[in-house]
Amino acid sequence: MKQKVLENVRDLISLFKDGQKILVGGFGISGTPLTIIDLIAESGVKGLHIVSNNLGDYGMGLHQLFIRGQIEKAIGSFFTINREAVVAWSKGELLIDLLPQGTLAEAIRCGGAGIGGFYTKTAVGTELAKGKEERVIDGERYIFEKAIKGDIAIIRAKKADKLGNLIYHMTARNFNPMMATAANIVIAEVDEIVDVGEMDPEQIVTPHVYVDYIIQTAYKKEGDQYVKQ
Amino acid sequence: MLNNDVRYKIAERIAQELEDGQVVNLGVGIPTLVNAFIENKEVYLQAENGLLGIGPPPTIDQLDIDLINASKEPVTITKGASFFSSADSFAMIRGGHVDVAVLGILQVDTKGQIANWAVPNQPILGVGGAMDLVVGAKKVIGAATLFTKDGTSKIVKKLTYPISGIRSIDLLVTDYAVFSFESGEIHVNEILVDMPIEQLSEKLGITLKWREPVD
């Protein structure tokens, strides 16, 4: 059995390089691999293309990479809450690719499923359809959206077994299962690691085939926030 | 306070449109308030981040940062609730499996096409699930106060705000009246204030007609 569980998160640092496209799980701060993001901040790699719904919360998660100037381009659905990102974008310091949330999710799913892209009715006739191929299927207008794949995906799950099977925690699941399928290297940050055989096969959401590395999170929930231990 | 009352009035009127057994997605703003008026109905609330079966707001003890709705507010779950990924959630929405989406709107034209995701001359950097919900839900109900703070009507002949999709909404519930959109035309279903339809037409600068009663 390949040793996927790493004792020290720092063993992963050499995986991160300038200019990579990194898929990052999470919706707001929920379901975000905070420990791995801290590592990327520490690594100092630059020019990153980040695929994630938004850029974290103030001072946490991807917001850290943003304030350190490590992000060249953000691909996601909702950056309005990241005010500094909006300012940086208007000054030309940050590139943004805005996609409807469902299109973002489906593009990543396709990326992981070997599909080059898909036609969707979402955004037809809007500003977000500009420059995109349109075709009529059964009398309805659709636009083409290209699949998204990453060099690395960093995801957050509740529990892993040592093979890399994963289950998630409530709405912290969000983009994580698709991202687990859509990158060359997949790193899962989890609350709990158990022996193989201890998870119910009927309940596994992400099968181990997708997961390359597993680390224990350094964060703990306290009330309505995550706190570093 | 007055404005808040109006918002609750709109939410209460929308709740009357919902039927037992429906799967409903409530958007940000006034739509969120609808939740308070559906206690006596068996309606299943969907959150596009990946939950079917939103329950009442949590107590402090129930708070979990990983149990949130699409506005990132903490929620609880009902019996029979389920969690799923965002891809599955939007397949549910785009695939026409959600019965009703209630969406806040900034503008609607007389054909029922809406603008609800961006403001002119502001950077366009957030859309979330707005466009997916407009095209995907079986029925779309718009929720808004009829006039902006400076008295401009939100019903317009031509949208000046960025459009959310080419699909027309079905119903618009405002503080003044309930409107419906069929075959590219706007109709008044019900006036909620003491005002004849002629006066409402004049206020909006649009000739309004009553919706023909359906047998």
Side-chain angles (χ1 to χ4, degrees):
Chain A
M1 188 170 91
K2 187 190 165 191
Q3 181 61 35
K4 292 184 178 178
V5 180
L6 300 179
E7 292 300 320
N8 190 340
V9 66
R10 288 204 167 69
D11 294 343
L12 294 166
I13 204 160
S14 61
L15 295 175
F16 296 98
K17 299 188 171 67
D18 289 350
Q20 280 173 330
K21 187 189 265 191
I22 305 182
L23 314 184
V24 183
F27 182 78
I29 215 70
S30 178
T32 301
L34 297 170
T35 311
I36 306 170
I37 293 172
D38 288 347
L39 181 77
I40 299 174
E42 188 189 314
S43 78
V45 294
K46 287 195 162 53
L48 299 176
H49 288 203
I50 297 290
V51 179
S52 196
N53 188 65
N54 51 283
L55 287 178
D57 270 356
Y58 190 77
M60 278 196 104
L62 290 170
H63 184 252
Q64 274 196 74
L65 304 191
F66 166 73
I67 52 180
R68 287 164 196 248
Q70 293 175 275
I71 303 176
E72 180 178 277
K73 186 175 190 177
I75 299 122
S77 93
F78 205 78
F79 300 107
T80 322
I81 47 166
N82 302 113
R83 287 194 183 165
E84 295 162 69
V86 174
V87 173
W89 173 84
S90 63
K91 288 183 188 162
E93 292 164 1
L94 176 71
L95 298 170
I96 285 184
D97 245 4
L98 189 69
L99 293 170
Q101 199 176 332
T103 298
L104 176 67
E106 186 64 15
I108 299 164
R109 196 196 68 79
C110 285
I115 293 170
F118 60 101
Y119 288 93
T120 177
K121 281 190 270 189
T122 302
V124 166
T126 73
E127 302 238 1
L128 299 188
K130 279 187 181 157
K132 290 177 179 170
E133 178 206 333
E134 188 175 316
R135 75 183 272 187
V136 174
I137 302 170
D138 290 340
E140 291 198 82
R141 290 167 68 189
Y142 289 76
I143 53 167
F144 181 74
E145 296 281 0
K146 202 168 162 280
I148 293 174
K149 278 171 34 168
D151 297 302
I152 299 184
I154 60 174
I155 62 168
R156 182 80 161 87
K158 180 184 186 186
K159 195 193 270 190
D161 68 16
K162 289 175 179 167
L163 262 181
N165 290 305
L166 303 178
I167 60 167
Y168 299 91
H169 184 56
M170 301 197 283
T171 50
R173 184 181 307 197
N174 54 64
F175 290 88
N176 288 298
M178 296 85 80
M179 288 182 171
T181 69
N184 296 332
I185 301 169
V186 176
I187 309 166
E189 171 174 342
V190 302
D191 291 306
E192 190 186 355
I193 301 165
V194 299
D195 282 327
V196 179
E198 283 186 33
M199 282 163 76
D200 178 354
E202 295 282 9
Q203 311 228 314
I204 289 165
V205 177
T206 295
H208 65 77
V209 62
Y210 298 112
V211 179
D212 297 294
Y213 299 102
I214 304 155
I215 64 139
Q216 175 86 42
T217 185
Y219 283 81
K220 200 180 163 184
K221 274 193 278 195
E222 276 180 18
D224 62 349
Q225 52 189 339
Y226 284 108
V227 180
K228 196 160 189 173
Q229 283 170 294
Chain B
M1 190 62 203
L2 184 69
N3 188 43
N4 250 345
D5 281 348
V6 164
R7 288 159 54 89
Y8 279 101
K9 185 176 147 190
I10 296 168
E12 190 173 10
R13 182 60 189 79
I14 290 170
Q16 291 173 24
E17 296 291 326
L18 305 179
E19 294 164 21
D20 275 334
Q22 283 182 327
V23 171
V24 178
N25 183 296
L26 300 177
V28 184
I30 295 173
T32 312
L33 307 177
V34 174
N35 200 358
F37 298 101
I38 50 175
E39 278 173 352
N40 55 346
K41 286 186 188 173
E42 200 167 325
V43 164
Y44 309 102
L45 296 178
Q46 200 250 19
E48 62 264 35
N49 48 319
L51 162 61
L52 178 57
I54 303 174
T59 61
I60 298 236
D61 294 341
Q62 290 173 320
L63 266 187
D64 188 324
I65 192 172
D66 291 329
L67 182 51
I68 55 175
N69 64 17
S71 306
K72 304 188 177 82
E73 296 158 346
V75 294
T76 59
I77 55 171
T78 56
K79 275 186 192 166
S82 54
F83 297 111
F84 32 85
S85 74
S86 300
D88 289 333
S89 183
F90 282 95
M92 197 181 283
I93 291 166
R94 265 190 264 94
H97 310 286
V98 170
D99 295 300
V100 182
V102 183
L103 303 175
I105 62 142
L106 297 168
Q107 265 186 346
V108 57
D109 69 18
T110 49
K111 293 194 298 265
Q113 292 185 327
I114 63 164
N116 77 337
W117 69 287
V119 175
N121 307 317
Q122 294 283 321
I124 290 180
L125 293 175
V127 61
M131 290 186 180
D132 302 281
L133 285 160
V134 171
V135 301
K138 280 189 202 145
K139 179 177 183 176
V140 180
I141 301 177
T145 53
L146 186 52
F147 299 97
T148 62
K149 279 183 193 135
D150 65 11
T152 313
S153 169
K154 291 179 190 170
I155 302 178
V156 293
K157 286 181 183 142
K158 192 174 182 332
L159 298 175
T160 55
Y161 283 44
I163 195 169
S164 302
I166 54 170
R167 186 250 177 106
S168 292
I169 63 169
D170 300 279
L171 203 69
L172 171 69
V173 179
T174 71
D175 40 348
Y176 281 73
V178 179
F179 303 89
S180 57
F181 300 90
E182 278 162 44
S183 320
E185 283 196 342
I186 184 169
H187 292 279
V188 179
N189 289 21
E190 186 185 341
I191 297 182
L192 305 169
V193 292
D194 185 17
M195 185 181 284
I197 192 168
E198 294 77 16
Q199 197 184 336
L200 187 61
S201 296
E202 203 175 303
K203 254 178 116 58
L204 298 179
I206 294 164
T207 311
L208 293 168
K209 287 181 286 190
W210 287 106
R211 180 171 187 256
E212 298 290 328
V214 187
D215 296 328

